[in-house]
Amino acid sequence: MTKNPLSIFSLIKTYKKEYISGDLSAGFATGVLLIPQGMAYAVIAGLPVQYGLYASLIAPLLYFLFGTSKKLIIGPAALDSMLLASGMLGLGILTTSPDYVNTILVVVFLSGLFQIVAGYLRLGFIANFFSAPLLKGFTTAAALLIAFSQLKNIFRITPKSSQYLHEEILSYFSQVSAVHWVSAAIGIGTILMILILKKTKFRKLGTPIVVILGIVMSIFFDFESEGIEVVGNIPSGLPTFILPDFTAVDYSDVIPLALVVAIIGFTVSNSIIKSIDDPKQPIDPNREFVALGLANSLGALFGGYQASSSFSRTAINASSGANTRASNLVSTVMIALVLLFFTDLFYYLPKPILGAIIIAATPSLLSFSYFKKYFFLKKREFCVMLITFLTTMEMGVIVGLLTGVSVSMAVFMYHTLYPHIAILGKIEGTKIHRNILRFATAKEREGTMIVRVDAPLYFSNIKYVLETINRWASERDDLHSVVIKAESINYIDVTALNELELQIDKFNDRGIKVYFATVVGPVRDLLFKMNIVQKLGGRQLFVNLYDVMKFLDDEENFSYKNKKIANQSV
């Protein structure tokens, strides 16, 4: 990526008057939602709520300056917050530790730095390594863990911290007698209220409504004196420049966490962009990588923690009429006003309501319907999703994600090592050849075996492919011709070429001729360079199976009109 990352100038040049009303309304709608969500997601990360507001202030502003998506809204996200909290627990750093906040800010700074470097190195394709089953299993489990993590705020109990879910569940059950039932009633009532409001015309204002009601009731009924925990003091004023203590962390611990957070944050944002932006104006993922990285690395210097996008806020932004990313600037102004003038009011916001807001937001991350879909569609993909889900639930988001990636790669390797191969037969009354196992009317030609290999040929799979062809050949009497239908072989490496040449020699020694049809250009070039074509039946390649069959019918009188096309090479 060579372009200047500061994209605000191109936005100013193309901005129109008619965009203002849409961007204002969308920015206001998302800003109203971002205020309580920013505080709530900071709680998930184990941070004081002001850090969520700082992230909600700085990240959208920086994305406004450097981003490219018209409708993406940047800010704290539940998944990123959970990744940070889980990672910190894995490092053995508790929220009560004096190093907790500093370590998170260092992780976020490094995460942003990695995103910037990845963008300039054009590594945006990294997002493609996370398959849909992996992401669905991971985000579903993460959503449940996020909701589960807020039960302590709903019931006002402190479970034993553990990396294993079953231990935390047992800890909750052991403290049932300590539940603060008034807090529980407020939390459960808030969840129900948000869910009900989502089904009305006030669905976009559900969260702000419960926050306002919660603050008013907390002041009027003095919730704090009743033992209901409230947010407490929030420093007033805009954040100032804070340089994290980079010497106080163990980089062998924080770098892996920063890498995971960087990749997942970008992957989620990239998938949201693909779902909401105009496909006629595609976004450069590498520029987005840089923009997100700048938002995080520079944001960390002002107390902001990890920022990416969320489906709910971006969907509201788009549906509220956003025309450009200037809506991010509007939400930034709203957060600034809260920090300057209204932090005293948020002192009274009950923590059960913050927990309820988080729990009510998690259904958008759930993908249980996909479990059934993948089970019937593709069993191996279902296994990837299920294993990722179960390991994430029990062992946390970091272990779950790494396990999911490992299982996905194992499935990919399996498909690479054991590609699909089919024997083709001619469907009666046509010139069409199809898989004999799928079409009952597809009949093999006597003495001829037509094989289709549906994969590139590598050092890793050529043995399996040739062993399979050999096994099938040995099962057929009076075999004199093996035809390889090769349009699906779009790549072949040197190892595979050598093995293929040896196999052709073995077939020739047995009086079996080998023919290739529908060979793609790059593979065709290599077959000629290795002089393999000279060892084939007819000493040539064929454009299609029909030409091969005509050649086998009458080799002496065969007139090949397509010879130049079939045997073109560079």
Side-chain angles (χ1 to χ4, degrees):
M1 195 198 83
T2 57
K3 292 182 180 179
N4 185 341
L6 195 62
S7 57
I8 180 61
F9 298 116
S10 61
L11 175 62
I12 293 172
K13 287 179 183 178
T14 58
Y15 201 83
K16 299 177 182 178
K17 273 186 183 179
E18 51 264 35
Y19 292 166
I20 295 175
S21 61
D23 288 342
L24 282 173
S25 61
F28 178 80
T30 53
V32 166
L33 183 63
L34 193 55
I35 294 165
Q37 280 193 351
M39 292 191 288
Y41 294 156
V43 171
I44 296 176
L47 295 167
V49 294
Q50 64 264 28
Y51 289 93
L53 292 174
Y54 296 159
S56 303
L57 173 77
I58 302 297
L61 175 61
L62 291 169
Y63 189 79
F64 168 70
L65 296 174
F66 299 105
T68 57
S69 171
K70 291 182 178 181
K71 298 179 181 179
L72 196 70
I73 286 289
I74 293 296
L79 191 56
D80 294 335
S81 302
M82 192 68 192
L83 279 169
L84 286 170
S86 180
M88 295 295 284
L89 180 61
L91 297 178
I93 303 174
L94 302 179
T95 55
T96 54
S97 169
D99 297 325
Y100 189 88
V101 172
N102 182 73
T103 304
I104 281 190
L105 292 180
V106 171
V107 168
V108 172
F109 179 85
L110 293 175
S111 169
L113 205 59
F114 292 147
Q115 289 174 330
I116 294 169
V117 172
Y120 275 103
L121 293 178
R122 305 193 67 81
L123 299 180
F125 64 85
I126 287 175
N128 299 330
F129 283 93
F130 296 90
S131 65
L134 184 157
L135 287 175
K136 296 295 183 186
F138 175 71
T139 54
T140 299
L144 293 176
L145 289 176
I146 288 166
F148 182 77
S149 72
Q150 294 309 300
L151 294 181
K152 61 178 180 285
N153 288 322
I154 300 290
F155 297 111
R156 210 194 72 176
I157 56 179
T158 306
K160 176 186 175 183
S161 294
S162 173
Q163 289 183 283
Y164 302 103
L165 179 64
H166 75 276
E167 291 182 356
E168 285 205 30
I169 292 174
L170 292 174
S171 178
Y172 271 105
F173 277 114
S174 68
Q175 297 185 57
V176 169
S177 59
V179 169
H180 191 266
W181 293 106
V182 177
S183 295
I186 292 172
I188 295 170
T190 301
I191 294 171
L192 293 174
M193 188 174 182
I194 292 174
L195 295 178
I196 291 170
L197 286 170
K198 281 184 178 180
K199 297 181 179 182
T200 70
K201 63 181 180 180
F202 300 106
R203 60 186 178 277
K204 295 178 183 178
L205 298 174
T207 299
I209 288 173
V210 298
V211 167
I212 292 169
L213 285 176
I215 291 173
V216 171
M217 292 178 65
S218 177
I219 295 172
F220 188 78
F221 294 107
D222 195 7
F223 279 180
E224 194 173 11
S225 67
E226 298 296 326
I228 300 166
E229 293 184 338
V230 295
V231 167
N233 289 313
I234 302 174
S236 180
L238 300 178
T240 56
F241 180 82
I242 304 171
L243 189 66
D245 185 356
F246 292 101
T247 63
V249 299
D250 185 340
Y251 284 94
S252 63
D253 288 336
V254 298
I255 286 177
L257 176 58
L259 278 170
V260 170
V261 173
I263 294 170
I264 289 299
F266 169 72
T267 301
V268 172
S269 294
N270 190 55
S271 64
I272 294 173
I273 289 172
K274 288 180 179 179
S275 67
I276 55 97
D277 264 23
D278 186 356
K280 295 179 182 178
Q281 296 178 329
I283 299 297
D284 181 355
N286 297 299
R287 293 203 71 179
E288 281 300 302
F289 230 151
V290 172
L292 202 59
L294 288 167
N296 284 313
S297 57
L298 295 179
L301 301 178
F302 291 88
Y305 80 103
Q306 190 70 21
S308 60
S309 186
S310 81
F311 284 101
S312 59
R313 290 198 301 267
T314 300
I316 288 174
N317 188 50
S319 64
S320 299
N323 294 302
T324 72
R325 65 180 182 280
S327 56
N328 280 274
L329 183 62
V330 177
S331 63
T332 293
V333 171
M334 292 182 64
I335 301 294
L337 292 174
V338 168
L339 284 168
L340 287 170
F341 304 112
F342 300 106
T343 53
D344 288 345
L345 284 176
F346 284 97
Y347 173 99
Y348 300 97
L349 179 60
K351 283 189 176 181
I353 289 181
L354 273 185
I357 289 170
I358 294 168
I359 293 172
T362 54
S364 63
L365 293 172
L366 299 177
S367 302
F368 284 115
S369 61
Y370 284 88
F371 281 83
K372 182 179 179 181
K373 178 181 178 180
Y374 289 138
F375 179 78
F376 289 106
L377 192 62
K378 198 82 171 175
K379 295 293 191 297
R380 291 193 186 108
E381 303 293 329
F382 169 77
C383 288
V384 171
M385 187 177 189
L386 183 63
I387 291 171
T388 304
F389 172 80
L390 293 176
T391 52
T392 302
M393 284 295 295
E394 171 60 13
M395 305 182 74
V397 289
I398 302 294
V399 174
L401 180 64
L402 295 177
T403 302
V405 171
S406 300
V407 174
S408 289
M409 292 304 296
V411 170
F412 171 76
M413 289 300 298
Y414 178 86
H415 287 301
T416 301
L417 290 169
Y418 305 103
H420 180 258
I421 311 171
I423 294 178
L424 307 184
K426 183 171 173 287
I427 295 178
E428 295 175 350
T430 74
K431 298 177 182 178
I432 300 170
H433 291 76
R434 290 291 184 267
N435 188 342
I436 61 173
L437 298 180
R438 296 176 69 93
F439 293 84
T441 57
K443 304 299 181 183
E444 290 187 72
R445 179 190 176 102
E446 187 176 349
T448 301
M449 182 174 73
I450 305 172
V451 178
R452 189 188 69 221
V453 182
D454 296 329
L457 294 179
Y458 300 95
F459 65 92
S460 60
N461 65 11
I462 188 64
K463 292 281 189 185
Y464 168 76
V465 170
L466 295 180
E467 285 173 1
T468 302
I469 293 174
N470 263 317
R471 187 178 75 251
W472 288 343
S474 66
E475 295 169 354
R476 283 157 175 77
D477 298 326
D478 302 323
L479 183 68
H480 57 72
S481 301
V482 173
V483 182
I484 308 295
K485 193 169 186 285
E487 73 264 28
S488 297
I489 305 174
N490 57 17
Y491 174 82
I492 184 168
D493 70 4
V494 174
T495 303
L497 280 167
N498 289 329
E499 293 291 334
L500 183 62
E501 184 178 18
L502 289 172
Q503 183 60 56
I504 291 170
D505 288 338
K506 290 177 182 178
F507 273 138
N508 286 337
D509 291 342
R510 292 163 54 188
I512 300 173
K513 296 295 183 183
V514 179
Y515 301 85
F516 271 80
T518 62
V519 184
V520 298
V523 175
R524 192 166 60 238
D525 295 338
L526 292 171
L527 292 178
F528 275 101
K529 288 177 180 178
M530 290 283 288
N531 293 319
I532 290 175
V533 175
Q534 299 303 315
K535 299 181 178 184
L536 298 176
R539 296 177 180 274
Q540 62 188 330
L541 304 173
F542 293 85
V543 168
N544 51 49
L545 287 179
Y546 179 68
D547 285 342
V548 181
M549 297 304 106
K550 285 202 302 180
F551 179 85
L552 293 176
D553 286 337
D554 190 356
E555 182 176 338
E556 290 184 5
N557 298 314
F558 177 71
S559 176
Y560 197 9
K561 297 177 182 179
N562 296 322
K563 185 172 182 178
K564 286 186 177 180
I565 298 173
N567 293 274
Q568 180 274 343
S569 69
V570 295

